[in-house]
């Protein structure tokens, strides 16, 4: 078994993670990361296997580097993300009952209308920042509306999300900076997870209703999961989508020809760019995987992004191809912890990309894209583009 | 290996060898059978792997779990008494000769 000295959370690696992912996959099914004294998996087969074996690769010790059995987490653990069976099952069931594909579909028309408005305004401008003006603007409008948050204070959502996703990494400068910037957001978020601050009929209010067997505090934590998980991830997926189409104009042309394939195109964006790059798990017992024995109680870093580009699983893995059948990637995770909001994210991506494809002939870079470094997410801080 | 037949809504059908232990959704994807989208990759979250099972064989399949039950209410084509989610159905030797009808729409 090979030990690598690389730091997957170093700025230059986060800015361009693909080379490290390649080396990790090639090094073996299971690798040691000497720097953090943890294990790592980067091939599709082992990553999927670990995600689908939550009894062995558990989440309640935290899905970041910090081990909740040894350290106190910076916020009360999520009842979904950072929980195991049987507690996890109850929480998950409550949330999935509110976020069913049927419920998600009821938002289609509203989302389509918002997409029309936004795209029309951007086309009129011609030049804009595809991160702030497009990728952030859309989810920051439709998602909090759906959850039932007030118009005021939404600016707290992004710094809060940044804190959550950087919080899964080591205590590096990204972690510290995100914690400082997000400090004021914490209180607003906590306040707005409470039933009295959520609009009736919204997803947040519905969670409170569906979670009647939970305490008031727990219900608020369930709503918090929406606010932590539902914004930054989608923002990054949409920003990455525009970058992909600016870099691969043939793929844009293909989508223009068939705007109705925008759902599949969005899926390929998620596979190709993996907005959520990594999550940790912790072993509950000695386990052999890929011929390597991992002892109990160890942190294992799962590289979802590397699995999504594993050539052992994907033909032409490093090619962005919107006609590919991308289902089965682990960009939304897999197994009992698979993203509960994935149908929501797909709807957002689908309607917005379809609208863009109907209105925009060409997308060109109007400046250098700037990555937004995060210990967990891959996305952009800015993406100046010109559309025609 | 047990053989399974997928019948499209237009009546065309494909019979394939199903690997024991894979799900009936995965078998369809492995063989490039159209008509099963499986957006969520088999996690009982999308209802786009919906199939109608031969009524005579319903008992050869395991019982519905609560997730599948709920998800079957979200299918794009109407739910029937024989509706199942193919991602929740593991292939066993007993399934040899099983016929699955695919719905008109999955999304
Ligand atoms: S593949 Fe999504 S529910 Fe079966």
């Amino acid at each position: 078994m090979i030990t690598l000295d690389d730091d997957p959370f170093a700025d230059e690696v986060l800015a361009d993670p693909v080379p490290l992912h390649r080396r990790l996959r090639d090094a073996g099914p299971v690798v040691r990361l000497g720097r953090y004294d943890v294990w790592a998996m980067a091939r599709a087969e082992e990553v999927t296997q670990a995600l689908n074996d939550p009894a062995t690769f558990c989440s309640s010790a935290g899905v970041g580097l910090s081990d909740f059995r040894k350290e106190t987490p910076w916020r009360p653990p999520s009842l979904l993300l950072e929980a195991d069976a049987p507690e996890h099952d109850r929480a998950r069931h409550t949330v999935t009952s509110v976020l069913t594909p049927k419920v998600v579909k009821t938002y289609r028309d509203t989302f389509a209308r918002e997409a029309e408005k936004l795209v029309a305004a951007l086309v009129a401008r011609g030049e804009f920042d595809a991160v702030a003006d497009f990728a952030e603007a859309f989810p920051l409008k439709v998602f909090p509306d759906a959850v039932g948050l007030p118009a005021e204070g939404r600016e707290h959502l992004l710094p809060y999300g940044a804190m959550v996703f950087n919080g899964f990494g080591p205590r590096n400068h990204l972690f510290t900076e995100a914690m400082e910037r997000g400090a004021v957001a914490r209180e607003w978020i906590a306040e707005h997870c409470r039933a009295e601050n959520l609009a009736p009929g919204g997803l947040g209010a519905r969670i409170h209703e569906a979670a009647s067997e939970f305490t008031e505090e727990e219900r608020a934590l369930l709503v918090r999961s929406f606010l932590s998980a539902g914004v930054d991830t989608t923002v990054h997926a949409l920003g990455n989508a525009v970058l992909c189409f600016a870099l691969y104009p043939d793929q844009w042309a293909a989508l223009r020809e068939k705007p109705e394939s925008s759902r599949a195109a969005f899926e390929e964006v998620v596979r190709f760019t993996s907005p959520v790059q990594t999550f940790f798990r912790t072993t509950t017992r000695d386990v052999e995987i890929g011929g390597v024995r991992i002892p109990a109680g160890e942190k294992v870093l799962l590289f979802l992004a590397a699995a999504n580009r594993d050539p052992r699983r994907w033909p032409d893995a490093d090619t962005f191809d919107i006609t590919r059948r991308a289902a089965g990637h682990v960009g939304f995770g897999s197994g009992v912890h698979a993203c509960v909001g994935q149908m929501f994210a797909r709807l957002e991506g689908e309607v917005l990309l379809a609208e863009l494809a109907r209105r925009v002939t060409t997308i060109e870079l109007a400046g250098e894209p700037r990555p937004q470094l995060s210990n967990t997410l891959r996305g952009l801080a800015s993406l100046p583009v010109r559309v025609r | 290996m047990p053989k399974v037949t997928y019948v499209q809504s237009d009546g065309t059908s494909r019979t394939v060898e199903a690997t024991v232990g894979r799900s009936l959704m995965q078998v369809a994807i492995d063989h490039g059978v159209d008509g099963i989208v499986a957006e969520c990759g088999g996690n009982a979250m999308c209802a786009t792997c919906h199939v109608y099972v031969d009524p005579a064989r319903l008992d050869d399949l395991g019982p519905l779990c609560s997730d599948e039950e709920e998800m079957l209410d979200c299918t794009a084509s109407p739910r029937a008494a024989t509706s199942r989610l193919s991602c929740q159905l593991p292939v066993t030797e007993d399934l040899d000769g099983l016929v699955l009808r695919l719905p008109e729409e999955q999304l």
Side-chain angles (χ1 to χ4, degrees):
Chain A
M1 199 227 351
I2 292 183
T3 300
L4 293 183
D5 291 323
D6 295 78
D7 180 359
F9 303 103
D11 285 5
E12 31 331 329
V13 177
L14 294 173
D16 180 14
V18 175
L20 172 65
H21 294 169
R22 195 170 298 142
R23 267 185 292 126
L24 281 166
R25 281 191 309 259
D26 291 346
V30 179
V31 181
R32 231 13 230 161
L33 292 175
R35 196 172 179 108
Y36 297 107
D37 223 14
V38 297
W39 305 79
M41 297 180 199
R43 293 186 186 175
E45 190 180 329
E46 283 76 20
V47 168
T48 313
Q49 213 177 312
L51 289 171
N52 286 301
D53 183 2
T56 307
F57 295 92
C58 82
S59 294
S60 58
V63 296
L65 177 61
S66 140
D67 188 335
F68 290 1
R69 295 162 310 182
K70 299 174 191 152
E71 281 173 70
T72 314
W74 66 272
R75 57 170 201 169
S78 160
L79 300 180
L80 278 173
L81 189 67
E82 295 154 334
D84 290 321
E87 294 81 14
H88 172 259
D89 302 353
R90 273 172 62 218
R92 177 161 179 112
H93 194 78
T94 305
V95 177
T96 48
S97 73
V98 172
L99 277 183
T100 62
K102 209 185 206 161
V103 171
V104 171
K105 269 184 201 159
T106 62
Y107 289 91
R108 172 174 291 272
D109 293 343
T110 318
F111 284 19
R113 266 198 311 279
E114 290 298 336
E116 257 173 60
K117 263 199 261 172
L118 178 65
V119 171
L122 294 176
V123 170
R125 277 169 66 182
E127 240 181 79
F128 55 91
D129 185 338
V131 174
D133 305 330
F134 176 82
E136 290 181 359
F138 188 73
L140 275 181
K141 168 76 180 128
V142 300
F143 191 70
D145 277 358
V147 173
L149 294 177
E152 238 138 86
R154 292 182 181 187
E155 69 278 5
H156 292 305
L157 287 168
L158 287 176
Y160 185 72
M163 196 156 52
V164 171
F165 286 102
N166 280 297
F168 296 130
R171 310 211 156 206
N172 55 12
H173 80 100
L174 295 170
F175 180 100
T176 327
E177 285 157 21
M179 291 294 163
E180 280 167 16
R181 261 199 329 267
V184 287
R186 280 170 75 165
E187 205 178 316
W188 188 89
I189 296 288
E191 262 315 286
H192 287 82
C193 293
R194 298 156 57 93
E196 63 265 32
N197 292 320
L198 291 158
L203 295 172
R206 283 197 237 176
I207 286 287
H208 278 280
E209 282 158 34
S212 52
E213 53 173 312
F214 290 85
T215 67
E216 204 177 318
E217 213 170 304
E218 289 171 330
R219 293 201 289 264
L221 281 182
L222 289 176
V223 175
R224 195 190 66 182
S225 304
F226 280 61
L227 307 186
S228 330
V231 188
D232 300 60
T233 46
T234 322
V235 166
H236 284 320
L238 293 172
N240 293 351
V242 178
L243 180 61
C244 287
F245 287 117
L247 295 178
Y248 306 104
D250 59 318
Q251 294 301 305
W252 183 243
L255 181 58
R256 293 238 331 127
E257 238 164 68
K258 265 176 82 182
E260 66 279 10
S261 65
S262 63
R263 206 172 165 95
F266 183 71
E267 205 68 48
E268 173 67 349
V269 169
V270 175
R271 180 200 72 87
F272 187 71
T273 68
S274 301
V276 178
Q277 294 268 295
T278 48
F279 269 129
F280 283 90
R281 292 290 189 262
T282 307
T283 50
T284 56
R285 58 176 179 95
D286 293 5
V287 56
E288 197 181 303
I289 186 162
V292 178
R293 222 182 68 104
I294 308 177
E298 301 267 306
K299 282 273 170 184
V300 183
L301 182 51
L302 303 179
F303 285 85
L304 311 178
N308 285 345
R309 292 236 206 153
D310 184 351
R312 295 160 194 81
R313 163 72 178 79
W314 304 95
D316 299 318
D318 287 326
T319 305
F320 176 63
D321 174 5
I322 63 164
T323 64
R324 140 192 341 262
R325 192 160 193 168
H329 67 74
V330 291
F332 290 110
S334 183
V336 297
H337 285 283
C339 171
V340 278
Q342 54 179 290
M343 297 307 281
F344 228 89
R346 286 195 179 96
L347 180 64
E348 291 182 54
E350 177 194 350
V351 296
L352 193 53
L353 292 183
E355 185 61 19
L356 201 65
R358 280 192 287 265
R359 305 281 170 241
V360 167
T361 324
T362 57
I363 305 176
E364 282 165 8
L365 293 182
E368 269 303 297
R370 208 157 36 81
Q372 183 172 137
L373 302 188
S374 158
N375 282 330
T376 304
L377 302 179
R378 183 176 183 199
L380 300 163
S382 89
L383 175 62
V385 294
R386 193 178 309 115
V387 299
R388 262 192 303 118
Chain B
M1 261 194 261
K3 287 197 174 46
V4 185
T5 303
Y6 297 83
V7 184
Q8 303 291 336
S9 55
D10 67 3
T12 57
S13 74
R14 277 269 306 280
T15 300
V16 301
E17 308 235 332
T19 308
V20 171
R22 306 253 317 147
S23 72
L24 288 169
M25 176 279 278
Q26 287 167 324
V27 169
I29 304 286
D30 293 347
H31 290 86
V33 173
D34 286 333
I36 287 184
V37 179
E39 245 177 9
C40 77
N43 293 303
M45 298 200 60
C46 68
T48 69
C49 63
H50 180 201
V51 293
Y52 301 111
V53 179
D54 174 1
R57 303 292 299 271
L58 264 182
D59 291 346
D60 294 346
L61 304 163
L64 282 168
C65 72
S66 65
D67 284 348
E68 186 180 354
E69 173 60 52
E70 247 168 50
M71 208 45 60
L72 280 170
D73 283 332
C74 302
T75 54
S77 285
R79 175 179 182 176
T82 58
S83 285
R84 296 295 305 255
L85 290 183
S86 55
C87 72
Q88 301 301 307
L89 303 175
V91 176
T92 60
E93 290 294 348
D94 290 346
L95 296 190
D96 190 41
L98 181 72
V99 177
L100 299 169
R101 284 193 308 112
L102 303 180
E104 226 160 282
E105 278 183 302
Q106 291 284 18
L107 271 171

